[in-house]
Amino acid sequence: QEMAKILISISRETDIVARYGGEEFIIILPNTSEDEAFSLANRIKTTVEHNAFSINNSEEVSLTLSGGISSYPKNAADAKSLLYAADTALYSAKAAGKNTILCFEGTINGKSI
């Protein structure tokens, strides 16, 4: 709930914030460039790093986050490919040592992106 509050507070009114799986979130940023999305993701990452999260109202922990960014139409022609590209970038960020934001670079359906 605390993470969701951070995501919503930093996002714009036109953005869509949704939980995607157990510990993953998606933010859909309409009419936003890749550079703007990267900047927003880094603001979120920094806010999360500087926040103490409560567990059972008795213990506080620090969290970090990794993120993957993809953009339409640069990285994908449809919603499924866009999600795949973001997920690919996310797993690359985790593999790079976590607490990292990366933009998608690669191929989808044999097309170099």
Side-chain angles (χ1 to χ4, degrees), residues 4-113:
K5 287 178 186 176
I6 289 172
L7 297 177
I8 290 168
S9 72
I10 293 176
S11 300
R12 304 166 301 185
E13 191 173 305
T14 56
D15 299 338
I16 299 167
V17 177
R19 189 168 184 172
Y20 185 75
E23 60 185 38
E24 294 182 357
F25 292 86
I26 292 176
I27 304 176
I28 299 170
L29 307 168
N31 303 312
T32 304
S33 72
E34 187 175 87
D35 288 341
E36 291 170 320
F38 188 76
S39 177
L40 174 73
N42 275 303
R43 281 197 314 272
I44 292 169
K45 183 175 83 66
T46 299
T47 301
V48 168
E49 288 173 336
H50 294 98
N51 190 67
F53 292 86
S54 297
I55 298 177
N56 300 324
N57 294 322
S58 62
E59 183 182 352
E60 290 188 343
V61 297
S62 298
L63 299 177
T64 61
L65 92 116
S66 297
I69 295 172
S70 63
S71 60
Y72 172 86
K74 179 182 177 184
N75 301 130
D78 57 52
K80 185 177 179 179
S81 296
L82 189 64
L83 183 58
Y84 175 79
D87 204 42
T88 300
L90 168 63
Y91 283 99
S92 294
K94 288 180 177 184
K98 301 183 181 180
N99 201 32
T100 302
I101 307 295
L102 292 178
C103 296
F104 178 78
E105 294 180 19
T107 60
I108 296 179
N109 298 330
K111 181 181 174 188
S112 181
I113 305 294

